[in-house]
Amino acid sequence: MSKIIFLDVDGTLINYEGKLPDSARETVKRARANGHRVYICTGCSKAEIIQRDLGELDGMIGGNGAYVEDHETVVMHQGLTREEVKHIVDWCNDRRLGFYLESNSGMYCNDFMIEQGPSTMAKYAQGKGVSQEQALATAQGIVNDFILAHGEDLYRDDVNKISFILSSYQDHLDSKEEFPTLEANTWGGRGELALFGDLGPSGITKRHAIEVLLDYLHADVKDTVSFGDAKIDLSMFECCAYNVAMGNGGEEIRAAADYVTTDVDEDGLYNAFQHLGVI
């Protein structure tokens, strides 16, 4: 029976330096040749994904579930309204928080993100075991790809979600109070060690997006497998039939998994796909 496989990206398909291991590329290629479907299911928006070499895939779920695509056909796209974006932009600017708007057309940021982004993103990579030198280089490269915008140019109507730098965990707690109708998450660390907050449309989760895609494909949930390394991936685990955590994943995701594979850089995908019998 063919499987429908959902892969988180950072820390799952690619490593924390943004590189796709050769074994992962070959593993996905072989699985698809064997008749299985492979989708990425990520917090990244399409503008980020097209800048990366992820190999051939069957489609993507982006923006933590805001965007669903099957073989370049858009199945669902539900973003923030212009009014919601304006509210978040003004709130972040008032607090002097760096942020970036995640749109399929590009990643738009404020001046504070240019200042704060490289060091914060480097902390994220270092926390995953990347050397300080490589972390800084990778982080600067990511920020260099952002599009700096000001004033009303940031009040857009094509935004999937918005990520912002936390000056403290209180910023996340305050965002939940300020935007009660939106989905508020954190990433880059556990609990109060989180580096970023993000805000997206209400009801949008990886789980919801998977359910939308399965309905579109007329597929059965019993044939699904998900892979993740972080708390945000738990919503995939709630709906997929079998769930795999990466060895480099956090305690929560590993505890919830049916199977824990090796680290992303230690042939994690290859070992798990072999365990599943899809290659």
Side-chain angles (χ1 to χ4, degrees):
M1 180 66 68
S2 62
K3 299 294 184 183
I4 304 173
I5 301 168
F6 298 97
L7 304 175
D8 174 53
V9 175
D10 294 285
T12 301
L13 178 59
I14 63 175
N15 63 24
Y16 298 110
E17 296 177 29
K19 297 177 181 177
L20 176 66
D22 290 339
S23 65
R25 183 190 301 276
E26 183 61 23
T27 294
V28 171
K29 181 179 179 180
R30 286 174 59 186
R32 296 182 70 237
N34 287 342
H36 306 286
R37 293 174 179 258
V38 182
Y39 297 84
I40 54 172
C41 190
T42 174
C44 300
S45 293
K46 190 170 183 179
E48 291 177 271
I49 294 304
I50 61 177
Q51 294 172 358
R52 299 175 170 182
D53 176 17
L54 301 184
E56 293 295 322
L57 298 157
D58 290 288
M60 70 170 290
I61 290 171
N64 281 336
Y67 179 78
V68 181
E69 180 181 289
D70 174 63
H71 293 98
E72 299 186 359
T73 296
V74 178
V75 177
M76 181 187 78
H77 191 188
Q78 182 176 335
L80 296 164
T81 67
R82 187 179 187 277
E83 291 71 26
E84 289 168 337
V85 171
K86 181 180 185 301
H87 188 181
I88 299 168
V89 165
D90 292 345
W91 182 82
C92 287
N93 277 331
D94 287 345
R95 299 172 80 101
R96 304 180 67 82
L97 302 177
F99 66 80
Y100 57 101
L101 314 180
E102 302 183 34
S103 164
N104 289 351
S105 63
M107 312 296 287
Y108 303 88
C109 73
N110 64 349
D111 288 297
F112 297 127
M113 190 66 201
I114 299 296
E115 299 168 11
Q116 304 163 7
S119 61
T120 306
M121 289 187 164
K123 286 181 185 177
Y124 170 69
Q126 284 182 272
K128 301 296 185 178
V130 178
S131 69
Q132 181 179 20
E133 182 180 4
Q134 184 59 53
L136 286 169
T138 300
Q140 189 62 62
I142 292 172
V143 174
N144 288 346
D145 287 331
F146 290 166
I147 302 167
L148 179 62
H150 301 95
E152 293 201 0
D153 288 339
L154 287 166
Y155 301 157
R156 304 182 61 87
D157 60 4
D158 61 349
V159 177
N160 298 326
K161 67 184 180 74
I162 299 176
S163 287
F164 57 93
I165 293 173
L166 299 173
S167 63
S168 74
Y169 193 69
Q170 189 61 46
D171 289 325
H172 166 61
L173 298 178
D174 290 347
S175 75
K176 293 176 70 174
E177 183 174 343
E178 182 75 15
F179 306 99
T181 63
L182 301 181
E183 296 287 342
N185 297 297
T186 63
W187 58 278
R190 184 175 58 182
E192 294 188 9
L193 299 178
L195 298 172
F196 288 86
D198 67 42
L199 292 160
S202 177
I204 291 299
T205 64
K206 290 186 176 185
R207 173 178 180 169
H208 172 69
I210 288 173
E211 292 170 344
V212 168
L213 179 58
L214 292 179
D215 184 63
Y216 171 79
L217 297 173
H218 303 292
D220 197 316
V221 69
K222 68 180 177 60
D223 299 320
T224 58
V225 182
S226 74
F227 284 70
D229 75 309
K231 185 177 180 180
I232 192 68
D233 300 316
L234 288 173
S235 69
M236 288 197 292
F237 282 25
E238 292 172 0
C239 67
C240 288
Y242 195 85
N243 303 292
V244 179
M246 304 303 292
N248 47 271
E251 292 179 11
E252 288 176 283
I253 198 76
R254 286 188 280 113
D258 297 298
Y259 178 74
V260 179
T261 188
T262 50
D263 288 12
V264 60
D265 278 321
E266 295 175 356
D267 300 328
L269 282 194
Y270 171 79
N271 291 329
F273 276 47
Q274 271 210 327
H275 174 77
L276 290 164
V278 298
I279 59 172

